[in-house]
């Protein structure tokens, strides 16, 4: 069947979803998505997945998508970060049978996205984004969607959105903040930008930003005309937000823990969710949504670029303590050692690895070649030889006449497996 596009995709596949749970790293896992769906959410996104890792690592695929298949968890959109068209599409092909659409993350503003060159730090590279979306739209059996942040200029934001639509994006989520606006005090999201995008494109648009309660959702739809509203922080503090309720936190916590028992997730996810539920400090509500957020004079979280330049006034408390212990210590990122990359996967390699690889790749190669890597503490060859020697001595003890002739059959495959299993 031909895949649905635009409005038809939103109406039929996404069931005209108005209430959307955002993609949140380590926070929008299956258990939380199911809890949110029980309390009004009509569409959920997976956490942001790294396309390159998803493509090469079967365990990553199983832990983040394949092992989470659940009929109740639909409609579902899988989000990837990527900066290479072929890698993005190959990862999406592996995920498309488990979801209703693939989303390209163009909104992450964090330092890790800057270092990895993805998320909002691709928003100036329009040629690359066109190629990524065109290829995905051509080869995937499910629609391609995008989540973006705005530019300071409304006109440029509109042209950006129109470019993505022309390339093949079938649904656009607009976070009404720039990539410089980060953290809980980063200012108010601009609904004016979102409204301008909604009027300029013909595909469905979701709004993201300034959503703390159901009345915010209704006001946002009324002011911007969007098809749906996405919530991140508001949902984490109150998963019943879309029901218009604010239930007792221990009721939500207990219900979430019951779901986790059926659909387990890492303990760090659970701890983070419980912290958000129990320690919600309401932000000062803005008087007018759509303001730029800068005129209120509220300084947001320290930008990591500022923090790392060595200025003690901008350093975190932890780094200030380190500075007191060692006044000559510098946090200038340009002075940090540059780590060489693994020849196989691109992760940092071990400094003393004989294969110039990271530990994971080194272990696979050392096992395959029955070799040692003292730098990673992998002693396959040494343990294999010790196993041969030990089994040979055992056979000599049991049958000296046979072994005097050198006929030692030790089952090399079994010994190698034993050495591999005992490697740390």
């Amino acid at each position: 069947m031909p895949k649905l596009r635009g409005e038809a995709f939103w109406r039929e596949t996404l069931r005209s979803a108005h209430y959307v749970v955002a993609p949140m790293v380590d926070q929008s896992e299956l258990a939380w998505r199911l809890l949110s769906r029980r309390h009004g959410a009509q569409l959920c996104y997976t956490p942001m997945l790294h396309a390159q890792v998803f493509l090469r690592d079967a365990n990553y695929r199983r832990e983040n998508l394949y092992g989470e298949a659940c009929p109740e968890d639909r409609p579902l959109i899988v989000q990837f970060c990527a900066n290479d068209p072929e890698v993005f599409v190959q990862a999406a092909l592996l995920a498309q049978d488990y979801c209703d659409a693939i989303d390209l993350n163009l909104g992450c503003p964090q330092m890790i996205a800057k270092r990895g060159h993805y998320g909002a730090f691709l928003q100036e590279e329009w040629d690359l984004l066109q190629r990524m979306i065109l290829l995905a739209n051509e080869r995937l059996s499910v629609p391609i969607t995008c989540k973006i942040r705005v530019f300071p200029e409304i006109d440029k934001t509109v042209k950006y959105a129109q470019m993505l639509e022309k390339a093949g994006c079938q649904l656009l989520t607009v976070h009404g903040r720039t990539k410089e606006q980060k953290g809980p005090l980063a200012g108010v999201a601009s609904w004016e930008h979102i409204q301008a995008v909604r009027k300029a494109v013909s595909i469905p648009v979701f709004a993201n930003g300034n959503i703390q309660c159901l009345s915010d959702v209704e006001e946002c739809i009324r002011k911007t005309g969007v098809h749906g509203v996405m919530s991140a922080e508001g949902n984490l503090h109150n998963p019943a937000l879309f029901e218009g309720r604010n239930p007792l936190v221990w009721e939500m916590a207990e219900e979430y823990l019951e779901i986790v028992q059926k659909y387990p997730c890492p303990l760090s996810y659970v701890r983070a969710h419980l912290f958000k539920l129990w320690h919600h400090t309401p932000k000062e509500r803005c008087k007018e949504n759509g303001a730029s957020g800068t005129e209120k004079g509220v300084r947001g979280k320290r930008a990591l670029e500022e923090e790392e330049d060595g200025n003690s006034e901008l350093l975190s408390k932890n780094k200030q303590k380190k500075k007191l212990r060692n006044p000559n210590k510098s946090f200038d990122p340009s002075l940090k050692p540059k780590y060489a990359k693994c020849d196989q996967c691109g992760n940092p390699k071990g400094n003393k690895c004989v294969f110039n690889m990271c530990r994971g790749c080194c272990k696979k190669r050392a096992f395959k070649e029955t070799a040692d890597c003292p730098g990673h503490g992998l002693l396959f060859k040494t343990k294999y030889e010790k196993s041969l020697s030990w089994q040979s001595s055992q056979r000599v003890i049991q049958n000296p006449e046979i072994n005097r002739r050198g006929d030692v059959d030790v089952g090399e495959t079994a010994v190698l497996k034993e050495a591999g299993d005992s490697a740390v």
Side-chain angles (χ1 to χ4, degrees):
M1 292 179 60
K3 60 185 176 185
L4 298 175
R5 299 176 182 275
E7 290 273 352
F9 161 63
W10 174 70
R11 284 196 310 270
E12 298 183 33
T13 304
L14 302 186
R15 306 167 194 170
S16 301
H18 298 295
Y19 305 147
V20 186
V21 175
M24 297 174 285
V25 177
D26 296 345
Q27 294 284 265
S28 56
E29 83 286 355
L30 176 60
W32 189 261
R33 297 197 301 265
L34 292 178
L35 177 68
S36 300
R37 290 180 190 275
R38 288 184 182 181
H39 296 282
Q42 298 167 333
L43 170 65
C44 292
Y45 284 64
T46 66
M48 180 191 74
L49 305 179
H50 197 292
Q52 189 177 48
V53 180
F54 192 87
L55 181 58
R56 73 166 186 259
D57 193 332
N59 288 333
Y60 185 81
R61 294 194 293 270
R62 184 180 64 254
E63 291 168 2
N64 291 280
L65 186 61
Y66 290 3
E68 294 189 343
C70 174
E72 302 169 53
D73 190 33
R74 302 296 281 269
L76 176 70
I77 296 180
V78 172
Q79 187 187 73
F80 284 109
C81 67
N83 55 26
D84 181 279
E86 190 61 35
V87 170
F88 172 55
V89 172
Q90 289 298 327
L93 287 170
L94 292 173
Q96 65 180 1
D97 292 338
Y98 297 83
C99 63
D100 299 287
I102 299 293
D103 187 77
L104 176 60
N105 183 323
L106 300 176
C108 181
Q110 303 304 325
M111 182 56 64
I112 190 173
K114 183 176 182 180
R115 291 169 180 156
H117 193 54
Y118 59 80
F121 297 93
L122 294 178
Q123 66 179 177
E124 296 285 356
E125 301 186 35
W126 292 16
D127 289 341
L128 172 62
L129 297 182
Q130 282 181 317
R131 286 188 280 117
M132 293 178 72
I133 297 168
L134 280 168
L135 187 63
N137 189 45
E138 176 186 332
R139 295 176 58 183
L140 297 180
S141 62
V142 296
I144 175 75
T145 69
C146 297
K147 185 174 187 289
I148 66 172
R149 284 198 170 220
V150 300
F151 291 97
E153 307 85 5
I154 292 180
D155 289 346
K156 188 173 182 179
T157 303
V158 167
K159 291 178 181 177
Y160 182 41
Q162 290 173 329
M163 178 274 293
L164 296 173
E165 177 187 20
K166 186 176 180 180
C169 176
Q170 302 302 319
L171 183 147
L172 193 62
T173 300
V174 184
H175 186 157
R177 294 184 175 91
T178 66
K179 71 176 186 293
E180 289 75 26
Q181 291 179 273
K182 296 182 283 190
L185 301 178
V188 180
S190 171
W191 286 359
E192 186 180 357
H193 282 70
I194 299 173
Q195 181 186 40
V197 170
R198 171 68 187 97
K199 290 179 178 179
V201 299
S202 59
I203 56 176
V205 175
F206 289 159
N208 185 207
N210 303 347
I211 305 301
Q212 295 294 319
C213 57
L214 186 59
S215 61
D216 290 338
V217 175
E218 295 166 348
E219 184 181 4
C220 181
I221 293 176
R222 179 175 57 81
K223 283 189 173 183
T224 64
V226 293
H227 294 70
V229 172
M230 176 182 286
S231 175
E233 286 291 320
N235 166 262
L236 291 176
H237 293 304
N238 178 16
L241 179 153
F242 291 127
E243 285 185 322
R245 297 192 308 118
N246 195 10
L248 297 172
V249 291
W250 53 82
E251 292 180 1
M252 289 289 94
E254 185 176 18
E255 186 175 356
Y256 170 63
L257 293 175
E258 289 174 355
I259 299 174
V260 169
Q261 287 184 326
K262 186 175 181 181
Y263 300 102
C265 64
L267 183 59
S268 60
Y269 298 8
V270 178
R271 185 166 55 243
H273 279 304
L274 294 181
F275 182 87
K276 287 282 188 180
L277 287 172
W278 287 94
H279 299 280
H280 181 203
T281 304
K283 305 181 184 71
E284 180 183 351
R285 294 291 296 278
C286 56
K287 293 184 179 180
E288 289 189 19
N289 283 313
S292 66
T294 56
E295 62 268 20
K296 295 180 77 67
V298 180
R299 189 175 187 275
K301 279 186 175 178
R302 255 182 337 273
L304 290 183
E305 299 95 323
E306 296 175 348
E307 178 180 310
E308 293 178 346
D309 67 2
N311 188 334
S312 61
E313 294 182 359
L314 297 174
L315 293 177
S316 65
K317 291 182 179 180
N318 188 38
K319 288 184 178 179
Q320 289 180 35
K321 291 178 182 177
K322 291 180 180 179
K323 192 83 172 175
L324 286 174
R325 292 195 296 268
N326 182 6
N328 296 323
K329 188 173 181 63
S330 173
F331 295 98
D332 187 345
S334 64
L335 300 179
K336 289 184 178 179
K338 303 296 182 182
Y339 295 103
K341 292 183 178 181
C342 169
D343 292 344
Q344 187 71 23
C345 69
N347 286 325
K349 73 168 187 174
N351 291 331
K352 298 180 180 179
C353 178
V354 298
F355 298 116
N356 292 319
M357 293 181 173
C358 66
R359 179 177 173 78
C361 296
C362 175
K363 185 174 181 180
K364 293 176 183 176
R365 180 166 175 180
F367 176 78
K368 183 178 180 180
E369 299 181 7
T370 319
D372 286 351
C373 178
H376 280 123
L378 302 173
L379 304 175
F380 290 103
K381 181 180 179 181
T382 300
K383 293 185 178 182
Y384 174 54
E385 291 174 348
K386 285 183 178 180
S387 296
L388 287 177
S389 176
W390 180 81
Q391 292 200 20
S392 176
S393 65
Q394 291 297 108
R395 290 178 66 84
V396 169
I397 293 173
Q398 295 172 5
N399 197 339
E401 292 297 326
I402 294 178
N403 287 281
R404 220 175 269 128
R405 299 194 304 269
D407 300 334
V408 181
D409 178 15
V410 295
E412 293 188 358
T413 302
V415 174
L416 178 59
K417 183 178 186 304
E418 181 180 336
D421 292 342
S422 62
V424 178

Coordinates of all heavy atoms in Angstrom, one line a residue, residues 24-31 33 44-70 73 76-80 91 94-95 98-99 102 264-266 268-269:
M24 N 12.2 12.1 24.7 CA 13.1 12.6 25.8 C 14.1 11.6 26.1 O 13.7 10.4 26.4 CB 12.2 12.9 27.1 CG 11.2 14.0 26.9 SD 10.1 14.3 28.3 CE 9.0 12.8 28.1
V25 N 15.4 11.9 26.1 CA 16.4 11.0 26.3 C 16.3 10.3 27.6 O 16.3 11.0 28.7 CB 17.8 11.6 26.1 CG1 19.0 10.7 26.4 CG2 17.9 12.2 24.6
D26 N 16.3 9.0 27.7 CA 16.2 8.2 28.9 C 15.0 8.5 29.7 O 14.9 8.2 30.9 CB 17.4 8.5 29.8 CG 18.7 8.0 29.2 OD1 18.7 7.3 28.2 OD2 19.8 8.4 29.7
Q27 N 13.9 9.2 29.1 CA 12.8 9.5 29.9 C 11.5 9.1 29.2 O 10.4 9.0 29.9 CB 12.7 11.0 30.2 CG 13.8 11.5 31.1 CD 13.6 11.2 32.5 OE1 13.1 12.0 33.3 NE2 13.9 10.0 32.9
S28 N 11.4 9.0 27.9 CA 10.2 8.6 27.2 C 10.3 7.1 26.9 O 9.9 6.7 25.8 CB 9.9 9.4 26.0 OG 11.0 9.4 25.1
E29 N 10.7 6.3 27.8 CA 10.8 4.8 27.6 C 9.4 4.2 27.6 O 8.4 4.9 27.9 CB 11.7 4.2 28.6 CG 11.1 3.8 29.9 CD 10.9 5.0 30.8 OE1 11.2 6.1 30.5 OE2 10.3 4.8 31.9
L30 N 9.3 2.9 27.2 CA 8.0 2.3 27.1 C 7.1 2.4 28.3 O 5.9 2.7 28.2 CB 8.2 0.8 26.8 CG 6.9 -0.1 26.7 CD1 6.0 0.5 25.6 CD2 7.3 -1.5 26.4
A31 N 7.6 2.2 29.5 CA 6.8 2.2 30.7 C 6.2 3.6 30.9 O 5.0 3.7 31.2 CB 7.6 1.9 32.0
R33 N 5.7 5.9 28.5 CA 4.8 6.1 27.4 C 3.4 5.5 27.7 O 2.4 6.0 27.5 CB 5.3 5.5 26.1 CG 6.6 6.2 25.6 CD 6.9 5.9 24.2 NE 7.1 4.5 23.8 CZ 8.2 3.9 23.7 NH1 9.3 4.5 24.1 NH2 8.2 2.6 23.3
C44 N 3.0 9.1 21.1 CA 4.3 9.2 21.8 C 5.4 9.0 20.8 O 5.3 8.4 19.8 CB 4.3 8.1 22.9 SG 3.2 8.3 24.2
Y45 N 6.6 9.6 21.2 CA 7.8 9.4 20.6 C 8.8 8.6 21.4 O 8.7 8.7 22.7 CB 8.5 10.8 20.3 CG 7.9 11.6 19.2 CD1 6.6 12.1 19.2 CD2 8.7 11.9 18.1 CE1 6.1 12.8 18.2 CE2 8.2 12.7 17.0 CZ 6.9 13.2 17.1 OH 6.4 13.9 16.1
T46 N 9.6 7.8 20.8 CA 10.7 7.1 21.6 C 11.7 8.2 22.0 O 11.7 9.3 21.5 CB 11.4 6.1 20.7 OG1 12.1 6.8 19.6 CG2 10.5 5.1 20.1
P47 N 12.6 7.8 22.9 CA 13.7 8.7 23.2 C 14.6 8.9 21.9 O 14.5 8.0 21.0 CB 14.5 8.0 24.3 CG 13.5 7.0 24.9 CD 12.6 6.7 23.8
M48 N 15.4 9.9 21.8 CA 16.2 10.1 20.7 C 17.2 8.9 20.6 O 17.9 8.6 21.6 CB 17.0 11.4 20.8 CG 17.9 11.7 19.6 SD 19.0 13.1 20.0 CE 20.2 12.4 21.1
L49 N 17.3 8.3 19.5 CA 18.2 7.2 19.3 C 19.3 7.6 18.3 O 19.1 8.4 17.4 CB 17.5 6.0 18.7 CG 16.3 5.5 19.5 CD1 15.7 4.3 18.7 CD2 16.7 5.1 20.9
H50 N 20.5 7.2 18.5 CA 21.7 7.5 17.7 C 21.7 6.6 16.5 O 21.9 5.4 16.6 CB 23.0 7.4 18.5 CG 24.1 8.1 17.9 ND1 24.7 7.7 16.7 CD2 24.8 9.2 18.3 CE1 25.7 8.5 16.4 NE2 25.8 9.5 17.3
A51 N 21.5 7.1 15.3 CA 21.4 6.3 14.1 C 22.6 5.4 13.9 O 22.4 4.2 13.5 CB 21.2 7.2 12.9
Q52 N 23.8 5.9 14.1 CA 25.0 5.1 13.8 C 25.1 3.9 14.7 O 25.4 2.8 14.3 CB 26.2 6.0 13.9 CG 27.5 5.3 13.4 CD 28.7 6.2 13.4 OE1 29.0 6.9 14.4 NE2 29.5 6.2 12.3
V53 N 24.8 4.2 16.0 CA 24.9 3.1 17.0 C 23.8 2.1 16.8 O 24.0 0.9 16.9 CB 24.8 3.7 18.4 CG1 24.8 2.6 19.5 CG2 25.9 4.7 18.7
F54 N 22.6 2.6 16.4 CA 21.4 1.7 16.2 C 21.8 0.8 15.0 O 21.4 -0.4 15.0 CB 20.2 2.6 15.8 CG 18.9 1.8 15.8 CD1 18.2 1.6 17.0 CD2 18.4 1.3 14.6 CE1 17.0 0.9 16.9 CE2 17.2 0.6 14.6 CZ 16.5 0.4 15.7
L55 N 22.5 1.3 14.0 CA 22.8 0.5 12.8 C 23.8 -0.6 13.1 O 23.7 -1.7 12.6 CB 23.3 1.5 11.7 CG 23.7 0.9 10.4 CD1 22.5 0.2 9.7 CD2 24.3 1.9 9.4
R56 N 24.8 -0.3 13.9 CA 25.9 -1.3 14.1 C 25.7 -2.2 15.3 O 26.3 -3.2 15.4 CB 27.2 -0.5 14.2 CG 27.4 0.2 15.5 CD 28.9 0.6 15.7 NE 29.1 1.1 17.0 CZ 29.2 2.5 17.3 NH1 29.1 3.3 16.3 NH2 29.4 2.9 18.5
D57 N 24.8 -1.8 16.3 CA 24.8 -2.5 17.5 C 23.4 -3.2 17.7 O 22.4 -2.6 18.0 CB 25.1 -1.6 18.7 CG 25.3 -2.3 20.0 OD1 24.8 -3.4 20.2 OD2 26.1 -1.7 20.8
A58 N 23.4 -4.5 17.7 CA 22.2 -5.3 17.8 C 21.6 -5.2 19.2 O 20.4 -5.2 19.4 CB 22.4 -6.8 17.5
N59 N 22.5 -5.1 20.2 CA 22.0 -4.9 21.6 C 21.3 -3.6 21.8 O 20.3 -3.5 22.5 CB 23.2 -5.0 22.6 CG 23.8 -6.4 22.7 OD1 23.0 -7.4 22.5 ND2 25.0 -6.6 23.0
Y60 N 21.9 -2.6 21.2 CA 21.2 -1.2 21.3 C 19.9 -1.3 20.7 O 18.9 -0.7 21.2 CB 22.2 -0.2 20.5 CG 21.7 1.2 20.6 CD1 22.0 2.0 21.8 CD2 21.1 1.8 19.6 CE1 21.7 3.3 21.8 CE2 20.7 3.2 19.7 CZ 21.0 3.9 20.8 OH 20.7 5.2 20.9
R61 N 19.7 -2.0 19.5 CA 18.4 -2.1 18.9 C 17.4 -2.8 19.8 O 16.3 -2.4 19.9 CB 18.5 -2.8 17.5 CG 19.3 -2.0 16.5 CD 19.1 -2.6 15.1 NE 19.7 -3.9 14.9 CZ 20.9 -4.1 14.5 NH1 21.8 -3.1 14.3 NH2 21.4 -5.4 14.4
R62 N 17.9 -3.9 20.4 CA 17.0 -4.7 21.2 C 16.6 -3.9 22.5 O 15.4 -3.9 22.9 CB 17.7 -6.0 21.6 CG 16.8 -6.9 22.4 CD 17.6 -8.2 22.8 NE 18.7 -8.0 23.7 CZ 19.9 -8.1 23.3 NH1 20.3 -8.4 22.1 NH2 20.9 -7.8 24.2
E63 N 17.6 -3.2 23.1 CA 17.3 -2.5 24.3 C 16.4 -1.3 24.2 O 15.7 -0.9 25.1 CB 18.6 -2.1 25.0 CG 19.4 -3.3 25.5 CD 20.8 -2.9 25.9 OE1 21.2 -1.7 25.8 OE2 21.6 -3.8 26.2
N64 N 16.5 -0.7 23.0 CA 15.8 0.6 22.8 C 14.5 0.5 21.9 O 13.8 1.4 21.9 CB 16.7 1.6 22.2 CG 17.8 2.1 23.2 OD1 17.5 2.9 24.0 ND2 19.0 1.5 23.1
L65 N 14.3 -0.6 21.2 CA 13.2 -0.7 20.4 C 12.6 -2.1 20.2 O 11.5 -2.4 20.5 CB 13.5 -0.1 19.0 CG 12.3 0.0 18.0 CD1 11.2 0.9 18.6 CD2 12.7 0.5 16.6
Y66 N 13.5 -3.1 19.8 CA 13.0 -4.4 19.4 C 12.4 -5.1 20.6 O 11.4 -5.8 20.5 CB 14.2 -5.2 18.9 CG 14.6 -4.8 17.5 CD1 14.0 -3.7 16.8 CD2 15.6 -5.5 16.8 CE1 14.5 -3.3 15.6 CE2 16.0 -5.2 15.5 CZ 15.5 -4.1 14.9 OH 15.9 -3.7 13.7
G67 N 13.0 -4.9 21.8 CA 12.6 -5.6 23.0 C 11.4 -5.0 23.6 O 10.9 -5.5 24.6
E68 N 10.9 -3.8 23.1 CA 9.8 -3.1 23.7 C 8.5 -3.2 22.9 O 7.6 -2.4 23.2 CB 10.2 -1.6 23.8 CG 11.4 -1.4 24.8 CD 11.6 0.1 25.0 OE1 11.1 0.9 24.3 OE2 12.2 0.4 26.0
A69 N 8.4 -4.0 21.9 CA 7.2 -4.1 21.1 C 6.0 -4.3 22.0 O 5.9 -5.3 22.8 CB 7.3 -5.2 20.1
C70 N 5.0 -3.5 21.9 CA 3.8 -3.6 22.7 C 2.6 -3.0 21.9 O 2.6 -1.9 21.5 CB 4.0 -2.8 24.0 SG 2.5 -2.7 25.0
D73 N 1.3 0.5 22.6 CA 2.1 1.6 22.4 C 2.1 2.1 21.0 O 3.1 2.2 20.3 CB 3.6 1.2 22.8 CG 4.5 2.4 22.8 OD1 4.1 3.5 23.2 OD2 5.7 2.2 22.5
L76 N 3.2 5.3 17.3 CA 4.5 5.6 17.9 C 5.4 6.1 16.8 O 5.4 5.6 15.6 CB 5.1 4.3 18.4 CG 6.5 4.4 19.0 CD1 6.5 5.2 20.3 CD2 7.1 3.0 19.3
I77 N 6.2 7.1 17.1 CA 7.2 7.7 16.2 C 8.6 7.5 16.8 O 8.8 7.8 17.9 CB 7.0 9.1 15.9 CG1 5.6 9.3 15.2 CG2 8.1 9.7 15.0 CD1 5.2 10.8 14.8
V78 N 9.5 6.9 16.0 CA 10.9 6.7 16.4 C 11.7 7.8 16.0 O 11.7 8.2 14.8 CB 11.4 5.3 15.9 CG1 12.9 5.2 16.2 CG2 10.7 4.1 16.4
Q79 N 12.4 8.4 16.9 CA 13.3 9.6 16.6 C 14.8 9.2 16.5 O 15.3 8.5 17.4 CB 13.1 10.7 17.6 CG 13.8 12.0 17.1 CD 13.8 13.1 18.1 OE1 14.5 13.0 19.2 NE2 13.0 14.1 17.9
F80 N 15.4 9.7 15.5 CA 16.9 9.4 15.3 C 17.6 10.8 15.3 O 17.1 11.8 14.7 CB 17.2 8.7 14.1 CG 16.9 7.2 14.1 CD1 15.8 6.7 13.4 CD2 17.7 6.4 14.9 CE1 15.5 5.3 13.4 CE2 17.4 5.0 14.9 CZ 16.3 4.5 14.2
A91 N 19.5 3.0 9.3 CA 19.0 2.8 10.7 C 17.5 2.9 10.7 O 16.8 2.0 11.3 CB 19.5 3.9 11.6
L94 N 15.8 -0.3 9.6 CA 15.8 -1.3 10.6 C 14.7 -1.1 11.7 O 14.3 -2.0 12.4 CB 17.1 -1.4 11.3 CG 18.3 -1.9 10.5 CD1 19.6 -1.8 11.3 CD2 18.1 -3.4 10.1
A95 N 14.2 0.2 11.7 CA 13.2 0.5 12.8 C 11.8 0.7 12.2 O 10.8 0.6 13.0 CB 13.6 1.9 13.4
Y98 N 8.6 -1.2 13.3 CA 8.2 -1.2 14.7 C 7.5 0.2 15.1 O 7.3 0.5 16.3 CB 9.4 -1.4 15.6 CG 10.1 -2.7 15.5 CD1 10.9 -3.0 14.4 CD2 9.8 -3.8 16.3 CE1 11.5 -4.2 14.3 CE2 10.3 -5.0 16.2 CZ 11.2 -5.3 15.2 OH 11.8 -6.5 15.0
C99 N 7.2 1.0 14.1 CA 6.6 2.3 14.4 C 5.8 2.8 13.2 O 5.6 2.1 12.2 CB 7.8 3.3 14.6 SG 8.8 3.5 13.2
I102 N 9.2 7.8 11.1 CA 10.6 8.1 11.6 C 10.8 9.6 11.7 O 10.5 10.3 10.7 CB 11.6 7.5 10.6 CG1 11.4 6.0 10.5 CG2 13.0 7.9 11.0 CD1 11.8 5.2 11.8
P264 N 10.2 -3.7 32.3 CA 11.4 -3.2 33.0 C 12.2 -2.2 32.2 O 12.2 -2.2 30.9 CB 12.2 -4.4 33.3 CG 11.3 -5.6 33.2 CD 10.3 -5.2 32.1
C265 N 12.9 -1.3 32.9 CA 13.8 -0.3 32.3 C 14.9 -0.1 33.3 O 14.8 -0.5 34.4 CB 13.0 1.0 31.9 SG 12.4 1.9 33.4
P266 N 16.0 0.6 32.8 CA 17.1 0.9 33.8 C 16.6 1.6 35.0 O 15.8 2.5 34.9 CB 18.1 1.7 32.9 CG 17.8 1.2 31.5 CD 16.3 1.0 31.5
S268 N 18.1 3.9 36.5 CA 18.3 5.4 36.4 C 17.1 6.1 35.8 O 16.8 7.2 36.2 CB 19.6 5.6 35.6 OG 19.4 5.1 34.3
Y269 N 16.4 5.4 34.9 CA 15.2 6.0 34.4 C 14.1 6.2 35.4 O 13.5 7.2 35.6 CB 14.6 5.2 33.2 CG 15.5 5.0 32.0 CD1 16.8 5.4 32.0 CD2 15.0 4.3 30.9 CE1 17.6 5.2 30.9 CE2 15.8 4.1 29.8 CZ 17.1 4.5 29.8 OH 17.8 4.3 28.6

